[in-house]
Amino acid sequence: MSNIYGDWLKAQRKAAGLTQQQLADDALMTRTHIAHIEAGRRTPSREDAVRLDRALGTGDVLRSFLPQEDVAVADYFEAARQLEKQATEIREFAISFVPGILQTEAYMRAVLSTAFPPWSDEECDRIVVTRLERAEILRNPATPVVWMLLDEAVLRRPIGGPNVMAEQLMHIVHLAESQRIRLHVLPFSAGSHPLGQAMLTLMRFADQPPAGYTEAIYSAKLHDSPHVVERMHAAYDFALGDALPRKESVAFLRATAKEYEHHE
């Protein structure tokens, strides 16, 4: 991913004789956030860009030339993947597939087998390794706090067949029963809801602004705008209000897994 914006910010900071911490203090931001912008992992909000311009005396350059959010999925996902490692809280909404950090290897390969054009064996192996590495964040018993809101369609779509689905759903059940994740199912009976158009990941951090990541077919966006991320959180909370309670959600997954087992 091109990092012209971050490189230019870094050059201007150094020309002004400022460390990342000094610029962060002047712009009312955190040093970590400055580091992410310079490395191309984050895009500043418009308000951040105004404060950076003011701190560096660069007029309105940083505000005027904010990167456009229209690059490919792979580029934005890599930035989101790096942020995922640093998050203190992750909230996921899945509308069609089990979220990546919850997927079993068999389920992953079943999903990848439906790609068009098809992935090569080497590409599939690389993606599987990446997803399994992402799931390592769940080995920490406390951080990040993980909320999973699954549309009922995720459970009903028989990816890979009954055996794969039964194993996948029980894997999620075990994570929920161990209290490593907080699980909720949004049943079909809830009808229309504000998250019904794409998958959503929301992330909070200890020392930088929250972020959102949305993904649809052949497109994705990493969202930094505080206003947009706030609206995403509000939509998530609204949908969560129509979801099944935690214990009922776990029971729903366990019952659905048994249905798949009976279809073997």
Side-chain angles (χ1 to χ4, degrees):
M1 179 166 56
S2 174
N3 188 33
I4 295 173
Y5 190 91
D7 289 342
W8 193 87
L9 172 61
K10 183 176 182 179
Q12 295 303 307
R13 174 179 63 77
K14 289 189 171 182
L18 299 175
T19 65
Q20 288 182 339
Q21 186 60 62
Q22 287 170 328
L23 177 57
D25 292 341
D26 291 346
L28 303 178
M29 299 167 66
T30 67
R31 188 207 63 77
T32 303
H33 195 31
I34 296 291
H36 283 311
I37 295 171
E38 289 187 353
R41 293 188 293 266
R42 298 292 297 266
T43 300
S45 67
R46 184 166 295 275
E47 294 78 12
D48 286 342
V50 168
R51 290 196 296 271
L52 287 168
D53 273 327
R54 188 178 301 125
L56 292 168
T58 49
D60 64 352
V61 175
L62 287 161
R63 180 185 63 80
S64 298
F65 293 96
L66 284 170
Q68 298 298 307
E69 295 188 338
D70 59 357
V71 301
V73 172
D75 290 332
Y76 266 113
F77 177 71
E78 177 56 27
R81 186 170 73 91
Q82 294 302 321
L83 291 175
E84 185 179 67
K85 297 176 183 178
Q86 305 160 39
T88 56
E89 178 185 283
I90 297 173
R91 293 192 175 205
E92 294 250 22
F93 167 70
I95 192 170
S96 296
F97 301 108
V98 171
I101 62 173
L102 298 187
Q103 290 180 5
T104 64
E105 182 172 347
Y107 185 93
M108 292 178 201
R109 292 190 181 278
V111 171
L112 294 172
S113 71
T114 64
F116 185 83
W119 296 103
S120 69
D121 290 342
E122 293 77 11
E123 288 172 322
C124 285
D125 289 343
R126 177 178 54 80
I127 294 170
V128 167
V129 168
T130 298
R131 289 189 185 175
L132 291 174
E133 288 176 347
R134 288 175 58 208
E136 288 294 310
I137 63 173
L138 296 177
R139 290 188 179 275
N140 185 310
T143 304
V145 175
V146 177
W147 293 63
M148 287 289 168
L149 178 59
L150 306 181
D151 192 283
E152 185 177 344
V154 175
L155 317 184
R156 299 299 186 187
R157 182 168 287 107
I159 304 296
N163 288 337
V164 170
M165 285 301 298
E167 178 192 34
Q168 175 63 78
L169 296 186
M170 287 308 299
H171 174 64
I172 299 172
V173 166
H174 293 150
L175 287 170
E177 290 185 334
S178 68
Q179 299 188 39
R180 184 57 192 88
I181 66 171
R182 188 169 185 89
L183 173 70
H184 294 277
V185 173
L186 193 58
F188 290 145
S189 60
S192 179
H193 57 84
L195 300 180
Q197 302 194 18
M199 62 80 67
L200 170 66
T201 301
L202 297 167
M203 294 172 281
R204 295 189 189 275
F205 310 90
D207 57 358
Q208 56 182 303
Y213 175 74
T214 55
E215 188 172 309
I217 184 168
Y218 303 131
S219 63
K221 287 186 179 181
L222 181 63
H223 303 269
D224 288 287
S225 166
H227 174 66
V228 172
V229 176
E230 182 179 351
R231 288 186 63 186
M232 288 177 172
H233 271 282
Y236 192 99
D237 290 342
F238 189 90
L240 193 60
D242 287 333
L244 298 178
R246 180 175 57 87
K247 290 183 178 180
E248 290 182 28
S249 294
V250 173
F252 194 162
L253 258 72
R254 185 180 289 278
T256 307
K258 288 189 179 298
E259 290 176 16
Y260 281 117
E261 290 172 354
H262 292 156
H263 281 85
E264 294 179 14

